[in-house]
Every structure is written in structure tokens, then in C-alpha cells.
Amino acid sequence: MWPSHHRQAACAAALAVLLATALPRCAALPACGALDSAASLSTGKGLVDDAPALAALDADSSTGLIYLRAGSRHLVASDLTLAKPLWGEAGASLLVLTNATLVIQAQPEHPLAQLFDVGDGGRVVFGSDTLRIFPEWFGAAGNGRTDDSRAVQLAADAAAASGAPMLYLQGVYGLGSEVVFGPGASVVATPKARFISVGGNPSGVTLSRGGFPFQMVLPHLSGFAGFCLRLLGADLASLHLQTLSGCGDAIRLELAVGPEGSSDASTVLDNTIWFGNITDSQIGIAIRAGPGCVAEACVLQGNLVRGRSISGCGTARGLVAAIGWFGGSPTPAWDANQFDIGSITPCGRGKHYAMWHAAPNATTASEVLKVGSGSIHLQEAQPEGAGALRGLAALVDWSGQTTPLLGHKPILAATRPGSKAAFNGGRSLLGNFFTLRAVPDADWPPGGTAKFYVYHQAATGELCHIKCGAEQQPGSGLPLVACTQVRDNSALGGGAAVADEIELTLINLSGSVIRRDSKSVVFRLAVATMGVP
């Protein structure tokens, strides 16, 4: 028999070779029989509780790692903690029965195949030395056809309970039911990873009830008719999304109040969400509040959603919006949320498309909607009301996108109501800043007022922050004309409403008569923004 120190050195050398070359069986290393003790000290047939034998193997100082042969099935019917590395061949498995907890301290080494078979109530927990875990270890096929939702949920729960390892996603996982990520979850997905709906499942991924201090990279999400991603009572999450397509709500921020004394989801606070593209979804970003979410009972505050583009219509009929707010009345406490979108392309069908839709209107909101420069793509065949702004927002910034651009030939303002057909070729404006011409029907005395009419898609009854001005005069420093009153005529009652119409009352500050046959006055108009015109 070898001296013990020689035997340990030989085992260490053999173990290094095994780890470096991923030899299929430790049986090739006869001097290190203890490495294969998981097969020799327990049945490996799933018939009796192997937890005591595995615990003894883990405690054996002569054991380097715990090796599981292909085809072996080890029953864990009582709590078990393994500190030594676990190395298994494809086809080896650990069956964790109800009420048993298996704690894996070191990073397992196993192919992308099932390693853990978890019964109802069984748990697998990973220690601080574990870096990554995979849904495939819990039985996920990752082929885009099989329902992998249970395997993904088990892996996510294990990651959340452990707090150290990340859930690593690299396959195409079919979800036949909703998957919930808890507040301790840390998720990383490769660019190829996807969650797709199978079996008509309408629900994708929910982040629920608690703080999320970890940065998460989620996979592509597609085909969920209800929602692709939902934040339900989630706070402090930092999420990177790739693409979301074919969703009901692509991204949903949701508030809910549970029964008295129960856990609720009444806050959505300070989350940061980056996404690549949202395509063909009913609502790009949806904010939804359930019954009882009134005033301070529910708070949605300080969230930032930033993405490259929102485009397309979705497959269902009805309202389609880039951003939509749906809540009770009175509304919850929601303010200081920002939505910064690179581009919005309204779809070519359905007259109900809205860039921003609020139902009911929130009278105390201070939200910010920003759409990137040159980025509102209004198709030629857009129906009336496409790209509309509905509801109250503190700032709507379309980043200088104008029709036409500043410096181009000014648009002639109408002098009579109901003149859209003659205004700008019959097309309503869409953007922030415009140059217009004011040519009065009659002589316009100094200090007198005259009415002009322009048409803008943001005029839907809730238009706010309209400013107008003109160049200053060298002597007085006053503009030639200024607005004294602005009215959104689309909100008139008694059947007098005119779609998209904004009525401007201008005052002549030039100090002289502006004659109807004289050179027209050029002025600037800023619509739905807090910027200077």
C-alpha cells in the first residue's frame, strides 16, 4: 500500500487530468477509486435513500470529487449538503423527493441535460461557490417546442433562493405557463436565448413582489397574448431586454392590492428597463392598476423605460398604443416616470393607434415621454388619429421632429375653423416644433387679436403645453405676435368638436397695422412640450 502522502499526491494529479480532459469515467484512474464512490457506496438505482451514503462520501477526506456515472439515479429523500465538486455524466441524475433539500456548495460540472429531478416540495439550493445554473439541469429541452416552464421555474427558484449563482439561458425555451422570477434572481441570457409561448399560454415572465438588486439580461420574448414581461410590485430592477414581439403588452408595469393582511404588489419603484425593439404588439409599454389602487394605496414612481424602437400593430383588434396607461378612478400615485423611445412607427391599419393613451386620464401625473430625433415614421395611409397623444403628461419631447423642419417653407395657418382639408395638404402635424405663416383675412390693428387654426395629431381633448412666439423687434424687444389663448377644439361639446384642431388667438405687438395684403407674419409653434418654441 502507498504511503498516505504519496496516495494523496497521485489522486490530486489524476483529478487534475480528469478535470482538464473531462474523461468520461473515473474507472480509468484505479488509484483514485474514491472518486467513483458515488457508484460504489450507494445503490444509484433510485430505490433507497442515497443521502446518507453521499454525505459520508462528501465527508471522506480521501475523496476529491463526487462522480456520477451515466444512467445512475440517486435518491435524495432527506436533507443533504455536498461541499465537494459534483461531476456527472449525461444520464446521471439526483432525485430530490418531497420535503428534502439538496445543497450544492461547489459549481457542478454536468452537460446540458437533466441532473436534478425535483419532486413536489423538493428543493435544490446552491452555495456561494456556484456561478451558473441551467434550466437544462432541471429537465428543460430548450428546443422551442417542449413546455419548459416548470424546469425554468425550478432553476429560477434555485437561483433566487441561493442568491449567488446566475440563471444562465442559452436555449429556446417554450413556456406553457407563466414563469415568475423572485427578488433574489440573477439572470443572464445569450443573444440566442428565447422564451416563446407554447400551447396558447398568454403569460410570459413576471418579476414579482420585492426588490431586485441584481442586473438581469433577459432573452427574446415572443408570442404571449397577455404580456411578454410584467413587473408586478417589483422595485429596483435593472433589466436588459432584447426583442419583444407578438405580445399583448410587451412590457407591463402593474400595480395590485391584495386582500387585507396578504402580500400585495402595490409599488413599482425605480426600475430601469432597456430594450432593443418591440414589434407587432398590442401595447408596447403598458401601465395597469388593479381594483383598489387609488391615491397612495399604490405607487408607481421613478421608473425609466428606454428602448430603440416600437413598431407594428399586434394581431388583436382594438386599441394599439406605443405607451398605454389603464387604471381606476381616482388614479394611483404615479409620477416622475420616463419613457425614452428611439423611434415609434405607427402601424398602417386601425384608426386607434396612440403614441400615448391614458384611460382614465390622470390629472396629477408628471410623466415624461421622449421620442428620438427624426423618428416618428407616419405612413402615408395613416387614418385619422394615428399617433395621437391621449392623456396628461408633464413633458412630451419629440426631439425637434417637425413637419416641416424649422427653416423650411412655413406652413400657412388657416383663418377659419374646419379647414383641415386646406391645411398642410390635408395632413395633421406630428412633432414638436413648427414654423407657420399668419395671413389675416382683414387688416389687423396694433394690439388687436386674430384667430388662426392649425391641425395636430396631439389635439385629442387632452392637449397641454402649447406655446407660440415670433422674432423679437429690434426697438421694443417684443415679438411681432404672441399667443393670448390656445384652445383644443377636439374637446368641444355639443357636437362642435373638430378633429385635431387647435385654435390660436394671436395679438399684434408690432405697433402697426398688419394689412391683409401685406407680407405675412412668420411665427413658431411648440406643441406638447415644455421646450421653448
Side-chain angles (χ1 to χ4, degrees), residues 103-114:
V103 180
I104 306 292
Q105 296 287 7
Q107 174 69 51
E109 295 296 334
H110 193 268
L112 290 181
Q114 185 163 12

Side-chain angles (χ1 to χ4, degrees), residues 382-471:
Q382 280 298 305
E384 194 71 36
L389 173 75
R390 300 186 180 95
L392 180 63
L395 171 64
V396 178
D397 180 7
W398 288 325
S399 299
Q401 168 72 9
T402 61
T403 312
L405 297 173
L406 287 170
H408 289 207
K409 184 179 180 181
I411 301 167
L412 179 63
T415 57
R416 299 180 184 277
S419 301
K420 180 179 177 180
F423 174 83
N424 191 37
R427 299 195 65 198
S428 297
L429 305 175
L430 181 62
N432 283 138
F433 304 104
F434 309 93
T435 54
L436 296 105
R437 289 190 296 136
V439 180
D441 281 344
D443 290 348
W444 190 1
T449 60
K451 293 186 182 297
F452 297 90
Y453 300 86
V454 298
Y455 298 85
H456 196 288
Q457 292 207 39
T460 58
E462 304 292 349
L463 188 60
C464 59
H465 301 309
I466 305 173
K467 300 180 181 181
C468 59
E471 296 296 333

Side-chain angles (χ1 to χ4, degrees), residues 43 60 65 124 167 226 258 272 301 363 385 402 425 485 521:
T43 69
D60 187 346
L65 55 78
V124 179
L167 174 62
T272 303
Q301 188 177 65
T363 57
T402 61
Q485 184 179 359
V521 177

Side-chain angles (χ1 to χ4, degrees), residues 223-280:
F224 300 96
F227 61 82
C228 278
L229 173 69
R230 175 173 65 159
L231 274 65
L232 176 63
D235 307 324
L236 301 173
S238 178
L239 305 177
H240 291 257
L241 307 177
Q242 301 182 66
T243 61
L244 305 98
S245 62
C247 312
D249 296 342
I251 299 172
R252 179 188 295 181
L253 309 179
E254 185 170 346
L255 299 166
V257 175
E260 185 175 356
S262 70
S263 176
D264 63 36
S266 60
T267 64
V268 177
L269 302 174
D270 300 322
N271 298 286
T272 303
I273 303 173
W274 291 272
F275 67 88
N277 303 297
I278 293 174
T279 59
D280 294 325

Side-chain angles (χ1 to χ4, degrees), residues 175-228:
L175 300 186
S177 59
E178 178 184 356
V179 170
V180 179
F181 289 159
S186 180
V187 181
V188 172
T190 68
K192 294 182 178 180
R194 280 167 170 73
F195 283 158
I196 64 174
S197 174
V198 295
N201 170 36
S203 304
V205 175
T206 291
L207 274 63
S208 183
R209 292 179 170 82
F212 286 78
F214 299 104
Q215 181 169 296
M216 303 171 70
V217 181
L218 298 184
H220 304 269
L221 295 122
S222 62
F224 300 96
F227 61 82
C228 278

